[in-house]
Amino acid sequence: MSLVKHPLNNPYEFEGTHSYLLEYISKCKSGDILIGQELMMMLDKLLTHFDDPEIKIDFTDGHKRIKFIETKCKHFEAPFAGKPFLLELFQKAFVEAIYIFKIFDEEINRYVRLYQDILFLVARKNGKTPLISALCLAEFFCGEMGTRILCSSNDYEQADLMFQAINSMREESKTLSNVTRSNIKGIFFGNPKKPKKTGKFSYKNKGQIKKISAKTGAKEGKNIKVGAVDEVHELKDNTSTMPIRQAVSTQDEPLYIELTTEGVINEGYLDERLREARQVLNGELERPRWLIWLYTQDSEQEVWQDEKSWDKSNPGNGVIKKRSFLRKMIEEAKTSKSMRVFVLSKDFNIKQNNASAWLTPEDIKNEETFDIEEFRNGFAIGAVDLSKSGDLADARILLMKPGSQKKYMLTKYFIPASKLEELNREDREMFKEWIRQDLIAVSPGNENDFSLVTAWFVKLFKDYGIRVYKTGYDKWSAIYWSKEMEDYGFDCVRVSQDWGSMSEPMKLVEADLKSNLINYNNHPIDKWCLENTALNINSKMEIMPVKVQGKEDKKIDGAVTMIIAYKVYIDNRTEFLSLVGR
């Protein structure tokens, strides 16, 4: 087909109607708008629909919803709060692509919408949640009577973001709020203050908008027309999406939308969906009812080398999302592994392995040593990772000198004799050498003798006068061990190994290692544990340590105790430094 240009203002028309989709495709083809190859493949497919005799082009539904959003919906968050929701061209093209293509359904004997399953992948802060929220509200009012809509996500908080976006837009419009009501259960038609007895906007309309999370039970049995699932990258499997997809299956024209950025969960739900989506785009899999709208980069290399390429994953660049923000993120990503993982996945939709190495060899390499005599009669922070009683354990102290930010680490490892025999040959020989060097204490039998851990802390005081200010211990530590420590006069504090506790200290350990502010006395087991450690990252950019993928049999206890020690240090920095400075 050809694009017909009007001689005056050059709109792109199809049979006399301006098409935002055709305008968008044309500008993408000409290079005026930069997109990645994956979206271009979808647009090429959409372009063939205009010449397909099996597909009817009808702009009515799409343009009705675009008009509704732009005239009835208002933004509710700064810096656009209170302003009309004026859609960008890429947003109008996306809405149009959902609605304008119709095929004849012989089962119900009429034309219905071609695309009923939508995958919308775009980098964060490009307005995806407000857009889909506005589209859900438009469907609620412009769709048929009794339309039921369900907002879903991995957790209730994220599902509530979309629901609150819908409700806030509803409240911003007197026209919409006058004929609807909302409560903790959802949004409904009918206003008790201005009741209507009949019609679409009365109590007789049983349409509703509700929210649900992956953790909510009893998802089966619902009958909905529109299901919108936000941030599907956080889902581990399809257990929360399949009931929603099944719930819309009874409708003549259902609409199931998945919106997300890329993520870091390995082999999660999104990974499988994107594998299938790319098979569809490459013609390897037939899914004619699936609209696949992916804003992706063509390579990671271009992110670092060509700022213009950022538009491929960020269609709202310069209007919705600030370019200066992306520049700042890129600069931070150059020096921080956690920031790099987060930025590449969330700002550029480049899949990151959340179990790849946390630190580079250059970060870990530090051959500095120190003499414990330098800290005689000083103060320290303690940390232990007793882990499971039948595994490797580690005890550590963190020492500092007055007026210096450098941290000095002294550590001792512990292992049951039986565990040595379970190691592979290479690791077993390595561990035996460390035992000969007195870096590891061996407990007889199948369990660690935690009294040896206590004895190590006591020996530090007896031999060097080192007083441990506070000792952090992990959740696996036995109550009896902490009680034993307290009997000797040690102050033990619990450090939970979760996102909230581990994220900040782990980031500071990384920064200090990169800045050569940690002297771990060139300890070979510390170095080995750091090499085995990966970072896991969540949607809030919080991190915590995990084992590198493929190294599940290796140990990370030394890295964990470093992080625990830093957690205690951060929580007690002022008091500890005052003791160090005495």
Side-chain angles (χ1 to χ4, degrees):
M1 65 156 292
S2 61
L3 299 175
V4 182
K5 292 187 177 182
H6 192 280
L8 294 178
N9 55 11
N10 293 328
Y12 297 94
E13 299 182 351
F14 181 81
E15 297 180 353
T17 301
H18 180 95
S19 172
Y20 300 112
L21 178 59
L22 288 179
E23 182 182 353
Y24 187 63
I25 293 174
S26 179
K27 290 184 176 180
C28 291
K29 292 282 187 184
S30 68
D32 291 341
I33 295 175
L34 196 59
I35 62 171
Q37 286 301 309
E38 291 183 323
L39 181 56
M40 187 66 80
M41 293 167 73
M42 188 69 224
L43 296 183
D44 284 339
K45 181 180 179 181
L46 296 179
L47 199 54
T48 65
H49 292 346
F50 288 89
D51 286 327
D52 190 336
E54 299 281 324
I55 296 176
K56 176 182 176 183
I57 310 298
D58 185 350
F59 293 95
T60 306
D61 291 339
H63 285 195
K64 183 178 182 180
R65 283 152 181 79
I66 290 172
K67 183 179 178 181
F68 175 90
I69 293 171
E70 295 199 314
T71 58
K72 301 297 183 183
C73 297
K74 291 183 180 180
H75 292 285
F76 57 94
E77 292 180 323
F80 306 110
K83 297 179 180 179
F85 199 134
L86 300 180
L87 298 171
E88 294 300 310
L89 178 59
F90 80 91
Q91 296 172 320
K92 291 180 181 179
F94 173 66
V95 174
E96 213 179 78
I98 296 173
Y99 286 97
I100 69 172
F101 302 112
K102 313 283 186 178
I103 59 170
F104 191 79
D105 189 318
E106 295 183 354
E107 187 175 3
I108 60 176
N109 198 35
R110 67 176 177 88
Y111 278 94
V112 297
R113 187 175 3 92
L114 170 62
Y115 290 112
Q116 300 180 352
D117 193 349
I118 317 296
L119 176 59
F120 184 41
L121 177 77
V122 67
R124 65 172 177 152
K125 303 301 180 185
N126 280 277
K128 70 179 186 306
T129 301
L131 173 62
I132 303 304
S133 299
L135 187 59
C136 286
L137 192 59
E139 190 63 34
F140 191 53
F141 278 88
C142 301
E144 61 187 331
M145 192 166 176
T147 293
R148 296 193 172 198
I149 299 172
L150 193 62
C151 306
S152 179
S153 191
N154 186 52
D155 57 53
Y156 196 77
E157 182 181 354
Q158 186 65 42
D160 190 54
L161 287 179
M162 186 186 299
F163 178 83
Q164 292 301 333
I166 295 172
N167 194 41
S168 296
M169 291 180 200
R170 180 193 68 85
E171 290 178 335
E172 284 289 325
S173 170
K174 288 185 178 180
T175 305
L176 305 184
S177 60
N178 281 344
V179 294
T180 53
R181 67 191 189 280
S182 68
N183 55 39
I184 60 172
K185 293 183 178 180
I187 300 171
F188 308 90
F189 279 109
N191 188 329
K193 295 181 180 179
K194 298 181 180 180
K196 292 179 178 290
K197 293 184 179 180
T198 59
K200 186 176 181 179
F201 304 138
S202 70
Y203 276 79
K204 289 186 177 181
N205 186 347
K206 301 304 179 183
Q208 57 185 233
I209 304 176
K210 291 189 173 184
K211 56 191 169 185
I212 196 172
S213 79
K215 300 176 178 64
T216 306
K219 287 185 280 287
E220 288 82 2
K222 297 184 181 295
N223 183 15
I224 58 175
K225 183 177 180 182
V226 180
V229 186
D230 200 0
E231 301 296 11
V232 296
H233 67 87
E234 295 182 350
L235 302 176
K236 294 181 179 179
D237 52 42
N238 67 354
T239 54
S240 61
T241 60
M242 282 309 296
I244 297 173
R245 296 181 71 180
Q246 292 167 357
V248 301
S249 63
T250 61
Q251 301 290 322
D252 290 343
E253 294 189 77
L255 185 59
Y256 174 72
I257 306 173
E258 294 176 334
L259 59 152
T260 189
T261 59
E262 253 294 5
V264 293
I265 293 179
N266 297 324
E267 297 304 314
Y269 174 74
L270 181 59
D271 288 336
E272 180 61 27
R273 287 291 273 173
L274 286 176
R275 268 195 294 270
E276 292 182 353
R278 285 163 179 145
Q279 287 178 313
V280 172
L281 293 176
N282 290 318
E284 301 165 3
L285 190 64
E286 192 73 16
R287 293 283 192 277
R289 313 301 294 270
W290 195 8
L291 180 64
I292 301 164
W293 202 274
L294 309 180
Y295 284 105
T296 53
Q297 300 289 142
D298 292 322
S299 71
E300 181 180 330
Q301 187 178 25
E302 68 180 357
V303 171
W304 306 104
Q305 297 179 350
D306 184 7
E307 182 177 319
K308 292 180 180 178
S309 75
W310 298 351
D311 290 356
K312 294 180 181 180
S313 50
N314 293 273
N317 246 359
V319 179
I320 303 173
K321 189 171 184 175
K322 292 187 180 295
R323 295 182 184 275
S324 58
F325 171 81
L326 272 180
R327 293 190 193 104
K328 178 176 179 290
M329 292 295 100
I330 283 291
E331 288 305 311
E332 292 186 29
K334 291 177 181 178
T335 58
S336 168
K337 175 61 184 291
S338 58
M339 181 63 79
R340 180 188 179 97
V341 169
F342 190 82
V343 167
L344 288 178
S345 62
K346 309 304 288 183
D347 286 310
F348 297 101
N349 282 331
I350 297 173
K351 173 69 178 181
Q352 298 296 293
N353 186 341
N354 69 338
S356 59
W358 168 36
L359 302 163
T360 67
E362 291 75 23
D363 298 333
I364 299 170
K365 185 179 180 181
N366 187 330
E367 297 179 355
E368 287 184 284
T369 59
F370 65 92
D371 188 344
I372 190 62
E373 284 287 352
E374 299 174 35
F375 297 93
R376 179 171 287 278
N377 298 323
F379 287 88
I381 283 174
V384 296
D385 180 14
L386 302 185
S387 190
K388 299 172 184 176
S389 59
D391 209 344
L392 186 69
D394 182 39
R396 177 179 306 275
I397 58 169
L398 180 156
L399 301 146
M400 295 181 71
K401 295 179 179 180
S404 172
Q405 291 298 309
K406 179 164 282 192
K407 285 84 176 174
Y408 298 81
M409 303 279 192
L410 193 70
T411 191
K412 184 78 172 185
Y413 288 86
F414 307 84
I415 194 171
S418 64
K419 285 296 177 181
L420 287 172
E421 301 307 315
E422 297 178 12
L423 297 172
N424 62 50
R425 182 176 179 180
E426 180 183 351
D427 286 351
R428 185 164 59 248
E429 292 305 313
M430 185 169 60
F431 268 65
K432 286 182 178 179
E433 177 58 30
W434 288 336
I435 292 169
R436 284 192 287 269
Q437 296 175 23
D438 196 30
L439 302 178
I440 304 178
V442 181
S443 298
N446 297 316
E447 296 183 1
N448 268 313
D449 181 357
F450 291 160
S451 65
L452 296 179
V453 178
T454 305
W456 182 74
F457 283 103
V458 173
K459 183 176 174 58
L460 287 171
F461 176 73
K462 288 182 176 180
D463 291 355
Y464 302 101
I466 292 176
R467 290 158 288 182
V468 179
Y469 169 55
K470 289 182 185 291
T471 301
Y473 66 98
D474 70 297
K475 64 181 180 181
W476 290 105
S477 302
I479 296 175
Y480 300 107
W481 174 82
S482 60
K483 179 68 168 60
E484 181 183 49
M485 285 284 285
E486 289 167 1
D487 289 343
Y488 276 95
F490 293 98
D491 184 3
C492 295
V493 293
R494 175 84 174 269
V495 177
S496 299
Q497 291 194 29
D498 55 28
W499 301 106
S501 294
M502 304 299 277
S503 183
E504 184 183 2
M506 187 174 180
K507 290 176 182 178
L508 187 54
V509 169
E510 177 184 353
D512 279 0
L513 282 170
K514 290 178 182 292
S515 302
N516 290 318
L517 288 177
I518 296 179
N519 181 341
Y520 56 83
N521 219 20
N522 198 25
H523 200 293
I525 309 180
D526 280 359
K527 188 175 296 185
W528 183 66
C529 287
L530 289 171
E531 289 171 350
N532 298 333
T533 305
L535 64 86
N536 197 357
I537 188 167
N538 66 11
S539 59
K540 298 176 182 177
M541 207 187 151
E542 295 173 328
I543 63 174
M544 61 186 301
V546 293
K547 293 180 180 180
V548 171
Q549 192 170 26
K551 292 187 176 183
E552 287 77 10
D553 61 333
K554 306 301 182 183
K555 310 300 179 186
I556 65 171
D557 303 74
V560 172
T561 56
M562 282 189 187
I563 297 167
I564 291 174
Y566 262 65
K567 170 62 175 172
V568 178
Y569 166 73
I570 290 169
D571 289 348
N572 303 275
R573 185 187 281 114
T574 302
E575 295 88 343
F576 178 65
L577 291 179
S578 68
L579 293 172
V580 170
R582 285 183 181 179

